[in-house]
Amino acid sequence: MSKLASRQVGMFIYLGVFLVIHIDIFSFLALTIFALLIITYILVIQVVLLRLLHGYQTKQEQKFFAVWEERIFNYLEGDEKPQTLIKKIRRGKYIYLLRYLREFFLMLKGDDFAKLSSLINETKLQPFLLSYLQSGSPRKINEAAYFLGLAKSEASKRLLRKKLRSENASVFLSSALALARLNDIDAVFDIFRNARHFKFISKDSLLAILSEYTDDVCKPLFQNLKREKNVLIQSITITLFRHFKFYQAGEMVLKIMVYSPSKDVIIESIKFFSTIELFEASTALRSLITHPKAEIRSEVLKALAVLGDESFEQRIWDRMYDSEYEVQYNAVITLMKIIPGSEEKISRFAYGNLKDRAAAIARMVLSERNIKN
């Protein structure tokens, strides 16, 4: 074969390969674009349907409220039995009723609350919510747990405890909150244990739940604290003691604080001593006023402002030259609160050292005090 023929054959082969490759690429791109268009179309349809559904449900709720609002008020103010009212409402409308009652549950107390909660605990609303609680839908479970907890439904405790083992964080949280509102003290340690499965559940979230308990929860927590080694549980427990002003824990918390390496445990302990005004804690605070962590030094000064130990005067003056602004600020505040006549001394210091940072902070505190007065 001649060189010219060979070149022509090579060109045809190259052209053929080029066309095959590019046709495949173009086909792939076309299919990809088509698929994206289909997905976009489906998403748009879903959004439209969801909006229509939401609009429909909103209208249905409004219709329900228009019809039943007056009857519900009459029930709350009158002698009608809860079963009589609920019999008039179709099961499909129960959820509308519950959503309407939500604000009442949060506002009413005493006999009014008892009358309201009987709408759930003594009628078909309770098995309705229990069926929601046993469903596979996290949304339904959360909604049921919320209302059963608000109504303090004793019949729901067993199922709620099971839901604490859920791998769904929202189900765990709603079930834990419901149990706390039910004051199910036996469930406290299940809440602690299962909370560890969710790394992103914060201390604040657990405190918001556990503070729903009554102060009866303090005694089992107190017994547990004697052997508890987990610093997060120690910190939460001490914070709850502060919330409930559980004075009996003072001596134990003091021992824990002295030996604890945890900044959080130490700070919560100091706050606890301030709240219950445990003057015996002043001696232990003496060593912490120079703690390496500024947050602890600052919290010690706040506690001393409450406990009022004048023997700390020189140590507090020393903190006015601390490296951290917050510590310096609290040192001035504490001196003015616990040392008689300290305001005059601080004033001389403040205006006699105009270029000193500690003096500048002292002047600011004096100015704030004058404005408040």
Side-chain angles (χ1 to χ4, degrees), residues 306-318:
V306 175
L307 300 178
D309 192 332
E310 295 180 23
S311 67
F312 279 78
E313 181 176 2
Q314 186 54 51
R315 288 173 179 263
I316 299 171
W317 272 102
D318 292 342

Side-chain angles (χ1 to χ4, degrees), residues 101-109 113 116 146 150 181 212:
L101 296 176
R102 186 192 302 264
E103 296 301 321
F104 292 96
F105 271 114
L106 296 173
M107 291 188 298
L108 297 180
K109 306 291 181 184
F113 175 82
L116 183 64
Y146 180 80
L150 283 178
R181 284 173 169 164
E212 292 285 337

Side-chain angles (χ1 to χ4, degrees), residues 317 336 339-351 366:
W317 272 102
M336 293 175 67
I339 308 299
S342 61
E343 186 170 348
E344 183 180 346
K345 184 177 179 181
I346 290 171
S347 183
R348 290 198 304 270
F349 168 78
Y351 293 99
L366 289 169

Side-chain angles (χ1 to χ4, degrees), residues 39 49 64 79 101 138 162 171-172 181 189 195 274 277 309 348:
I39 292 170
L49 289 174
F64 178 84
D79 299 323
L101 296 176
K162 285 185 177 181
V171 170
F172 165 77
R181 284 173 169 164
F189 300 108
S274 296
E277 298 185 3
D309 192 332
R348 290 198 304 270

Side-chain angles (χ1 to χ4, degrees), residues 16-175:
V17 172
F18 177 83
L19 289 172
V20 169
I21 291 172
H22 283 76
I23 286 171
D24 287 344
I25 291 173
F26 291 141
S27 299
F28 174 75
L29 288 173
L31 287 171
T32 302
I33 292 169
F34 180 73
L36 289 173
L37 287 171
I38 292 295
I39 292 170
T40 304
Y41 179 71
I42 292 171
L43 290 174
V44 169
I45 290 175
Q46 285 183 330
V47 170
V48 171
L49 289 174
L50 286 172
R51 286 190 176 183
L52 289 172
L53 179 61
H54 177 72
Y56 173 76
Q57 289 179 335
T58 301
K59 286 181 179 179
Q60 291 298 108
E61 282 190 20
Q62 290 171 348
K63 286 181 181 179
F64 178 84
F65 298 160
V67 172
W68 288 96
E69 185 174 25
E70 186 177 351
R71 296 185 188 182
I72 292 167
F73 271 106
N74 290 338
Y75 164 77
L76 292 173
E77 294 174 356
D79 299 323
E80 185 180 11
K81 292 184 178 180
Q83 298 88 344
T84 304
L85 177 67
I86 298 302
K87 279 181 182 178
K88 300 173 184 176
I89 302 174
R90 291 194 294 111
R91 180 182 172 89
K93 305 293 184 181
Y94 283 175
I95 199 65
Y96 298 154
L97 172 65
L98 290 165
R99 289 171 184 169
Y100 179 76
L101 296 176
R102 186 192 302 264
E103 296 301 321
F104 292 96
F105 271 114
L106 296 173
M107 291 188 298
L108 297 180
K109 306 291 181 184
D111 292 340
D112 290 332
F113 175 82
K115 192 169 180 63
L116 183 64
S117 61
S118 66
L119 280 174
I120 288 178
N121 297 329
E122 298 176 20
T123 71
K124 292 182 179 180
L125 280 177
Q126 183 164 264
F128 169 77
L129 287 171
L130 291 176
S131 69
Y132 260 40
L133 199 60
Q134 296 178 81
S135 74
S137 166
R139 180 187 61 79
K140 288 184 176 182
I141 294 170
N142 294 339
E143 201 152 29
Y146 180 80
F147 287 110
L148 290 166
L150 283 178
K152 304 188 186 305
S153 167
E154 292 290 324
S156 64
K157 279 185 178 180
R158 182 181 60 83
L159 287 173
L160 287 168
R161 286 188 188 180
K162 285 185 177 181
K163 294 303 175 183
L164 287 178
R165 299 194 290 271
S166 171
E167 294 180 1
N168 184 297
S170 68
V171 170
F172 165 77
L173 289 170
S174 63
S175 301

Side-chain angles (χ1 to χ4, degrees), residues 83-297:
Q83 298 88 344
T84 304
L85 177 67
I86 298 302
K87 279 181 182 178
K88 300 173 184 176
I89 302 174
R90 291 194 294 111
R91 180 182 172 89
K93 305 293 184 181
Y94 283 175
I95 199 65
Y96 298 154
L97 172 65
L98 290 165
R99 289 171 184 169
Y100 179 76
L101 296 176
R102 186 192 302 264
E103 296 301 321
F104 292 96
F105 271 114
L106 296 173
M107 291 188 298
L108 297 180
K109 306 291 181 184
D111 292 340
D112 290 332
F113 175 82
K115 192 169 180 63
L116 183 64
S117 61
S118 66
L119 280 174
I120 288 178
N121 297 329
E122 298 176 20
T123 71
K124 292 182 179 180
L125 280 177
Q126 183 164 264
F128 169 77
L129 287 171
L130 291 176
S131 69
Y132 260 40
L133 199 60
Q134 296 178 81
S135 74
S137 166
R139 180 187 61 79
K140 288 184 176 182
I141 294 170
N142 294 339
E143 201 152 29
Y146 180 80
F147 287 110
L148 290 166
L150 283 178
K152 304 188 186 305
S153 167
E154 292 290 324
S156 64
K157 279 185 178 180
R158 182 181 60 83
L159 287 173
L160 287 168
R161 286 188 188 180
K162 285 185 177 181
K163 294 303 175 183
L164 287 178
R165 299 194 290 271
S166 171
E167 294 180 1
N168 184 297
S170 68
V171 170
F172 165 77
L173 289 170
S174 63
S175 301
L177 180 61
L179 288 165
R181 284 173 169 164
L182 280 160
N183 204 40
D184 186 357
I185 292 173
D186 293 336
V188 169
F189 300 108
D190 287 334
I191 292 173
F192 279 139
R193 190 179 306 111
N194 290 288
R196 297 173 187 175
H197 300 155
F198 307 99
K199 293 181 180 179
F200 56 88
I201 291 180
S202 66
K203 173 187 172 182
D204 289 340
S205 297
L206 288 174
L207 281 171
I209 289 169
L210 295 171
S211 61
E212 292 285 337
Y213 277 97
T214 67
D215 59 3
D216 294 334
V217 76
C218 290
K219 288 183 179 179
L221 287 174
F222 178 73
Q223 293 301 321
N224 181 69
L225 191 59
K226 294 177 181 178
R227 55 184 180 274
E228 184 60 63
K229 302 300 180 185
N230 183 290
V231 293
L232 176 61
I233 295 178
Q234 286 181 340
S235 176
I236 290 173
T237 300
I238 294 168
T239 306
L240 287 171
F241 289 162
R242 174 162 60 95
H243 173 73
F244 291 113
K245 294 185 178 180
F246 188 64
Y247 300 92
Q248 297 92 313
E251 186 177 345
M252 183 189 297
V253 173
L254 186 58
K255 290 179 182 178
I256 290 171
M257 182 195 73
V258 170
Y259 296 105
S260 178
S262 167
K263 179 185 75 173
D264 200 32
V265 169
I266 294 172
I267 288 175
E268 291 302 334
S269 299
I270 296 169
K271 289 180 178 178
F272 172 63
F273 301 144
S274 296
T275 300
I276 67 169
E277 298 185 3
L278 185 70
F279 297 103
E280 294 83 350
S282 296
T283 303
L285 296 179
R286 186 180 298 273
S287 61
L288 292 177
I289 201 169
T290 56
H291 195 279
K293 290 184 170 57
E295 300 97 318
I296 292 176
R297 299 196 300 274

